């Protein structure tokens, strides 16, 4: 068999194997337009946490997407969860390497926290985060400037589940459903076991009420955010 003919055969074989893929890709990559339908972005900070695997199973079961703001140190110790998050269509954001307060740091130190975390995420899952959430949601001019260097907007939240505080399944569910309104960005933590335990019930209720569980990017798509911009703006900040 000529070399040319065998490579043609190889291409044909690949094409045959790939044939069903476009249809599948279309159905899973269905775009959600949050200006037309009700959307909520659930975000999980400080992970990947111990219970990330269970959380990912739940999200998959209900075809829900989430955004994970990861800490570099845990990306390093639990890379397989990060790989799975990306593979299953979730969004990854940068939440520093070791969770320091950026407002007490130099630009060089902030840069190092962001860079080290980006490097671990790239190594674990082959992607580069496009969103930054500074630890405790605290930032200032310096953090904005460094975020801009990395082409990232700063993403805070519109409401919190207060899960780290209550550590109570019913309270987490109640608080989450209270703050989950149209186009909200909800803060949660996948290291809180009660949060992960409450997720099936939270997702079922939100979906029953007509919400699409989407990535942060779907919510901010129409905000025209520039790198270094903060969204949502904390109360009292001028645009
Ligand atoms: Zn945090």
């Amino acid at each position: 068999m000529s070399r040319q003919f065998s490579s043609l055969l190889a291409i044909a074989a690949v094409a045959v194997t790939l044939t069903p893929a476009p249809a599948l890709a279309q159905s899973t990559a269905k775009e959600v337009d949050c200006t037309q339908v009700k959307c909520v972005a659930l975000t999980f900070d400080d992970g990947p946490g111990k219970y990330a695997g269970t959380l990912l199973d739940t999200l998959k079961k209900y075809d829900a997407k989430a955004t994970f703001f990861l800490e570099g140190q845990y990306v390093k110790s639990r890379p397989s969860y990060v790989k799975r998050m990306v593979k299953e269509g979730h969004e990854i954001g940068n939440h520093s390497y070791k969770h320091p307060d950026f407002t007490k740091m130099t630009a060089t130190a902030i840069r190092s926290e962001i860079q080290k975390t980006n490097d671990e995420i790239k190594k674990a899952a082959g992607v580069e985060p496009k969103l930054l959430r500074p630890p405790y949601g605290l930032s200032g001019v310096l953090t904005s400037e460094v975020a801009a260097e990395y082409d990232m907007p700063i993403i805070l939240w519109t409401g919190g589940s207060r899960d780290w505080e209550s550590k109570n399944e019913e309270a987490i569910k109640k608080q989450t459903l209270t703050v989950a309104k149209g186009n909200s960005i909800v803060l949660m933590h996948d290291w809180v076991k009660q949060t992960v335990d409450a997720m099936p019930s939270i997702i079922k209720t939100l979906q029953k009420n007509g919400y699409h569980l989407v990535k942060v990017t779907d919510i901010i798509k129409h905000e025209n955010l520039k790198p270094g911009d903060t969204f949502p703006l904390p109360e009292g900040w001028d645009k």
Side-chain angles (χ1 to χ4, degrees), residues 41-44 56 59 64-70 82 84-94 121 127-132 153 155 185 214-220:
L42 300 178
T43 66
F44 296 89
L56 286 168
L59 292 169
K65 299 295 175 234
T67 302
F68 292 89
F69 288 96
L70 302 176
V82 185
R84 202 180 146 193
M85 286 165 186
V86 171
K87 196 172 150 226
E88 295 179 5
H90 304 294
E91 183 157 41
I92 304 293
N94 187 317
I121 292 170
V127 297
E128 242 166 68
K130 297 274 179 270
L131 309 171
L132 176 69
I155 303 299
I185 298 174
V214 299
K215 297 179 284 191
V216 164
T217 296
D218 298 313
I219 302 263
I220 62 172

Side-chain angles (χ1 to χ4, degrees), residues 2-95:
S2 80
R3 198 189 196 115
Q4 205 178 7
F5 184 64
S6 67
S7 47
L8 272 178
L9 272 184
I11 291 165
V14 169
V16 168
T17 321
L18 288 181
T19 307
L24 186 71
Q26 248 168 24
S27 68
T28 50
K30 201 167 48 190
E31 288 273 319
V32 178
D33 183 351
C34 295
T35 61
Q36 301 299 318
V37 298
K38 296 202 293 182
C39 291
V40 164
L42 300 178
T43 66
F44 296 89
D45 281 18
D46 309 341
K50 262 199 273 186
Y51 312 107
T54 310
L55 174 59
L56 286 168
D57 291 343
T58 303
L59 292 169
K60 192 174 189 177
K61 181 172 174 191
Y62 295 101
D63 194 21
K65 299 295 175 234
T67 302
F68 292 89
F69 288 96
L70 302 176
E71 262 179 63
Q73 59 173 336
Y74 299 123
V75 174
K76 191 177 181 172
S77 58
R78 303 185 179 113
S80 60
Y81 285 148
V82 185
K83 201 170 178 181
R84 202 180 146 193
M85 286 165 186
V86 171
K87 196 172 150 226
E88 295 179 5
H90 304 294
E91 183 157 41
I92 304 293
N94 187 317
H95 192 49

Side-chain angles (χ1 to χ4, degrees), residues 29 31 59 71 74 90 98 102 106 108 117 145 170 193 218 227:
E31 288 273 319
L59 292 169
E71 262 179 63
Y74 299 123
H90 304 294
K98 277 194 165 175
F102 280 6
T106 62
T108 310
T117 304
E145 283 173 7
E170 268 313 302
K193 185 177 184 296
D218 298 313

